[in-house]
């Protein structure tokens, strides 16, 4: 299993979205599609129309798992791309559709962007955007085996500051986790045995 943790992009800068995972992986998705691989894009963390301009760039055979898709056979996909948004909403909607790491193909490619990276970790945190490090809570994510916790947008002070990093590192130390700092428009690839 290949997991790609992506750090999101700064939405205040319209030009930076060209560096988002949607553009970085558009060709990879096309290659997988031409090879007959089954690809899904998960947009559950936002309203169904939020990512439409990006979804329109992709081949028509790519399956979109959005709010109108109530059931999913996760084991049929060769690649799953999980877009960002609200992490709690994303986790709850994945749970309601039976998402589990042990249901995935052994050689699946998973990409999680921002909230998507959080749910593909062992734990994730929630706090207050614009006031990072305030009211931090920790939650179990889907990938206990990874023994990690991600901090996306780690170079954007709207989302991350020293106080937040300190709290996450303290939690990680207490729980024997590694901390994955993800700058915006940057990815970290991890091979994980299943």
């Amino acid at each position: 299993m290949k997991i790609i943790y992506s750090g999101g992009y700064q939405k205040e800068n319209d030009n930076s979205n060209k560096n988002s995972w949607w553009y970085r992986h558009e060709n990879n998705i096309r290659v997988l599609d031409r090879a007959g691989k089954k690809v899904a894009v998960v947009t559950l963390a936002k309203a169904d129309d939020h990512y439409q301009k990006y979804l329109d760039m992709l081949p028509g055979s790519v399956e979109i798992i959005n709010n109108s898709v109530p059931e999913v056979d996760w084991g049929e996909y060769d690649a799953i791309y999980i877009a960002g948004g609200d992490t709690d909403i994303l986790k709850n909607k994945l749970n309601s559709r039976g998402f589990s790491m042990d249901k995935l193909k052994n050689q699946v490619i998973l990409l999680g962007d921002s909230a998507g990276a959080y749910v593909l970790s062992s734990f994730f945190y929630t706090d207050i955007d614009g006031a990072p490090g305030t009211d931090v809570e920790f939650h179990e994510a889907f990938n206990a085996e990874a023994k990690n916790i991600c901090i996306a947008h780690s170079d954007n002070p709207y989302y991350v500051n020293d106080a937040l990093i300190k709290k996450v590192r303290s939690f990680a130390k207490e729980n024997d986790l590694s901390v994955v700092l993800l700058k915006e428009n940057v990815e970290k690839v991890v091979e994980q045995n299943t």
Side-chain angles (χ1 to χ4, degrees):
M1 173 180 303
K2 180 199 278 190
I3 301 175
I4 305 165
Y5 296 107
S6 177
Y9 67 94
Q10 187 178 41
K11 61 186 174 187
E12 287 79 19
N13 180 346
D14 287 339
N15 292 329
S16 72
N17 70 358
K18 294 284 186 188
N19 295 319
S20 73
W21 76 267
W22 295 95
Y23 291 94
R24 290 192 311 265
H25 286 272
E26 178 186 4
N27 189 54
N28 296 342
I29 291 171
R30 291 185 182 286
V31 169
L32 289 166
D33 181 66
R34 283 193 300 271
K37 302 295 183 181
K38 195 154 187 180
V39 178
V41 174
V42 177
T43 62
L44 293 169
K46 296 277 190 179
D48 284 350
D49 62 347
H50 183 81
Y51 290 116
Q52 195 58 51
K53 72 177 183 178
Y54 304 114
L55 295 171
D56 289 344
M57 300 182 323
L58 303 178
S61 61
V62 171
E63 293 189 24
I64 310 306
I65 300 171
N66 61 21
N67 294 299
S68 66
V69 178
E71 296 180 16
V72 179
D73 179 0
W74 297 103
E76 69 180 317
Y77 298 106
D78 299 293
I80 302 171
Y81 294 82
I82 304 176
D86 184 287
T87 311
D88 287 325
I89 289 172
L90 178 59
K91 181 186 176 193
N92 291 336
K93 289 183 178 181
L94 286 168
N95 266 332
S96 73
R97 287 156 179 83
F99 182 84
S100 172
M101 299 296 283
D102 61 355
K103 291 181 180 177
L104 304 176
K105 287 184 175 181
N106 288 339
Q107 299 303 313
V108 69
I109 298 167
L110 294 172
L111 178 137
D113 184 54
S114 190
Y118 291 165
V119 299
L120 293 177
S121 301
S122 303
F123 288 87
F124 67 90
Y125 66 88
T126 56
D127 70 342
I128 300 172
D129 290 350
T134 305
D135 198 24
V136 179
E137 295 181 8
F138 296 94
H139 312 272
E140 286 186 35
F142 289 104
N143 194 357
E145 185 179 322
K147 299 254 186 233
N148 67 4
I149 185 168
C150 291
I151 301 176
H153 306 278
S154 67
D155 55 342
N156 185 334
Y158 181 77
Y159 296 107
V160 178
N161 63 13
D162 290 341
L164 174 64
I165 292 172
K166 184 176 180 180
K167 288 178 182 180
V168 172
R169 283 189 171 147
S170 177
F171 177 83
K173 186 175 182 181
E174 291 170 12
N175 292 279
D176 196 27
L177 305 171
S178 65
V179 176
V180 181
L181 288 172
L182 297 165
K183 292 182 178 179
E184 293 175 339
N185 304 325
V186 174
E187 298 175 349
K188 179 173 181 172
V189 179
V190 175
E191 296 285 340
Q192 183 172 310
N193 295 327
T194 54

